[in-house]
Amino acid sequence: MGTFCSVIKFENLQELKRLCHWGPIIALGVIAICSTMAMIDSVLWYWPLHTTGGSVNFIMLINWTVMILYNYFNAMFIGPGFVPLGWKPEDSQDSMYLQYCKVCQAHKAPRSHHCRKCNRCVMKMDHHCPWINNCCGYQNHASFTLFLLLAPLGCIHAAFIFVMTMYTQLYNRLSFGWNTVKIDMSAARRDPLPIIPFGLAAFAATLFALGLALGTTIAVGMLFFIQMKIILGNKTSIESWIEEKAKDRIQYYQLDEVFVFPYDMGSRWKNFKQIEQLKQKADKRIRSVRYRVIEDYSGACCPLNKGIKTFFTSPCTEEPRIRLQKGEFILATRGLRYWLYGDKILDDAFVEGVSRIRGWFPRNCVEKCPCDAETDQVPEGEKKNR
């Protein structure tokens, strides 16, 4: 009883609130539908108690479900790892290389960033994922990546079961006439009859689950590919944007420099092993890029008038979009291929502590300011807090 009480605490129960969000509800709903239908259909297609192959198929199906849910809940409830409130480096001289977070009243540790959704500075922050309703960072990046790997593999297995079940059940209901082929969904030419009846409703449910499985395989598989590309460089999504900015600056000014990412271990295998390690090293950060708005933007989530690619690559996140007017200035901090994320510069000055207008906006609505393509200066608010 004492062990049980030590595991389940009030703080742990508070974390269950993360389930009350559209992301986990949809994700767990897809997992439940695909897993349940796959187990039912596997009984119809390959009865697990009659053959060794059927037993192995059924056990593998359960194994996929358990491993997917285990890594999903780990990524959600373990969390990314937050920088302690009021944290400062042991060596006071390192403070000059670190940003200061006024919300957390602490210096930002190397590779950490402040998440406005979690309202905390996250260690080795990759991104805030709405599907787990939590940040992906130092502590849960491995579990999140395993979930992205296992979910498509489990869906491929489930999709195979759905296809084989529909094929075998329809084949048992086919009747051939002189000029027609009829399908009788009321009964199957099978002795003994299947334990679970396969009627029109079951066929529709299986077809729907097949669509979910194939869609999940494609969508989550693409996310896994992107994550692995970042991990093999020992980067995060935010650091990939920082590297892109640095290389773009070198090209823009035609500098005789070669950018070397400071955390690259020189080997993909060594970089892969760093997924759960945090290299503590104070480093000067590449600052935000200043842009000027050249086209108005209404703030729509998926704007049709900004191009097909911009429409279909809208960021899948709860972070807001910001309305832009021609002539305004934006300080971009990260971005995607067709979208950028940053703060609107109010009164031609970016001052820490002033109420911010922050969010996503299309990349083709802005252009870099030629006189200030890259801002390496620390905002005045940060200087005062150092």
Side-chain angles (χ1 to χ4, degrees):
M1 185 66 180
T3 304
F4 180 77
C5 292
S6 65
V7 174
I8 301 180
K9 299 179 181 179
F10 179 74
E11 293 83 357
N12 297 337
L13 293 178
Q14 290 288 349
E15 286 293 310
L16 293 177
K17 291 182 178 179
R18 295 191 180 277
L19 294 172
C20 302
H21 182 266
W22 64 265
I25 290 175
I26 294 177
L28 293 175
V30 171
I31 294 172
I33 292 174
C34 291
S35 299
T36 303
M37 289 305 303
M39 291 178 187
I40 293 174
D41 286 356
S42 64
V43 173
L44 289 170
W45 167 58
Y46 207 0
W47 178 245
L49 299 181
H50 288 172
T51 61
T52 303
S55 301
V56 172
N57 173 71
F58 197 78
I59 292 173
M60 284 183 62
L61 190 60
I62 296 176
N63 186 52
W64 288 125
T65 304
V66 171
M67 290 194 300
I68 289 171
L69 290 175
Y70 174 77
N71 285 282
Y72 180 82
F73 287 127
N74 271 348
M76 178 186 293
F77 294 123
I78 289 179
F82 299 109
V83 178
L85 297 175
W87 180 86
K88 59 182 180 181
E90 295 180 0
D91 188 350
S92 59
Q93 293 184 352
D94 287 340
S95 299
M96 64 183 297
Y97 299 120
L98 301 176
Q99 292 177 313
Y100 186 83
C101 179
K102 295 188 69 175
V103 177
C104 299
Q105 293 294 308
H107 287 85
K108 292 183 180 179
R111 311 189 76 176
S112 67
H113 299 271
H114 187 84
C115 175
R116 62 190 302 270
K117 286 292 182 182
C118 298
N119 202 30
R120 289 288 300 274
C121 287
V122 178
M123 294 192 297
K124 201 178 179 182
M125 179 179 175
D126 188 86
H127 68 289
H128 185 91
C129 179
W131 303 109
I132 62 174
N133 194 20
N134 208 340
C135 269
C136 179
Y138 164 57
Q139 289 185 345
N140 63 351
H141 201 176
S143 296
F144 181 77
T145 306
L146 279 174
F147 167 74
L148 296 182
L149 170 64
L150 295 171
L153 294 178
C155 285
I156 291 173
H157 186 188
F160 179 75
I161 292 175
F162 297 147
V163 171
M164 294 304 299
T165 301
M166 288 190 292
Y167 171 76
T168 55
Q169 292 300 318
L170 291 177
Y171 181 80
N172 289 331
R173 289 165 170 79
L174 285 174
S175 59
F176 298 91
W178 286 103
N179 297 317
T180 60
V181 178
K182 296 181 180 180
I183 301 177
D184 184 7
M185 298 297 292
S186 60
R189 302 198 314 268
R190 175 177 168 182
D191 189 22
L193 292 175
I195 298 175
I196 303 173
F198 191 85
L200 187 61
F203 177 81
T206 300
L207 190 61
F208 176 71
L210 176 61
L212 286 180
L214 294 177
T216 302
T217 301
I218 296 172
V220 181
M222 291 175 62
L223 291 176
F224 174 74
F225 175 79
I226 294 172
Q227 280 293 313
M228 284 304 302
K229 184 178 179 180
I230 293 173
I231 289 171
L232 292 178
N234 195 19
K235 306 169 190 172
T236 63
S237 298
I238 298 176
E239 289 169 350
S240 294
W241 164 240
I242 294 174
E243 182 182 23
E244 180 183 339
K245 289 192 295 182
K247 291 181 178 179
D248 188 66
R249 181 187 63 175
I250 294 173
Q251 183 179 4
Y252 183 84
Y253 288 110
Q254 297 181 353
L255 301 176
D256 189 17
E257 298 178 7
V258 177
F259 179 81
V260 178
F261 186 68
Y263 299 108
D264 190 353
M265 305 295 290
S267 166
R268 290 188 176 184
W269 174 242
K270 291 181 180 179
N271 288 337
F272 178 77
K273 292 191 295 183
Q274 294 291 314
I275 189 172
E276 283 191 335
Q277 298 181 24
L278 185 63
K279 195 173 181 181
Q280 296 289 349
K281 176 184 177 182
D283 62 318
K284 295 181 180 179
R285 300 191 175 198
I286 305 298
R287 302 300 177 187
S288 303
V289 180
R290 184 185 176 97
Y291 288 88
R292 183 172 63 87
V293 180
I294 57 176
E295 289 185 14
D296 292 344
Y297 167 54
S298 63
C301 182
C302 300
L304 281 170
N305 61 340
K306 300 303 178 184
I308 298 297
K309 293 181 179 179
T310 301
F311 176 82
F312 284 106
T313 57
S314 180
C316 187
T317 174
E318 287 183 306
E319 293 172 318
R321 277 64 170 168
I322 57 175
R323 186 189 301 270
L324 301 179
Q325 291 183 353
K326 188 175 180 179
E328 293 180 330
F329 292 90
I330 298 289
L331 210 58
T333 56
R334 54 189 168 96
L336 304 173
R337 186 172 183 181
Y338 299 102
W339 289 81
L340 292 171
Y341 181 88
D343 298 271
K344 185 181 293 187
I345 301 176
L346 304 176
D347 298 328
D348 277 342
F350 179 74
V351 181
E352 189 76 18
V354 176
S355 180
R356 294 178 172 180
I357 302 177
R358 172 184 291 181
W360 289 93
F361 52 92
R363 187 184 286 266
N364 56 13
C365 291
V366 297
E367 68 176 4
K368 284 186 179 179
C369 296
C371 59
D372 189 17
E374 188 90 19
T375 304
D376 289 330
Q377 299 298 322
V378 181
E380 291 296 328
E382 291 187 11
K383 290 181 180 179
K384 294 177 181 179
N385 287 297
R386 287 186 174 176

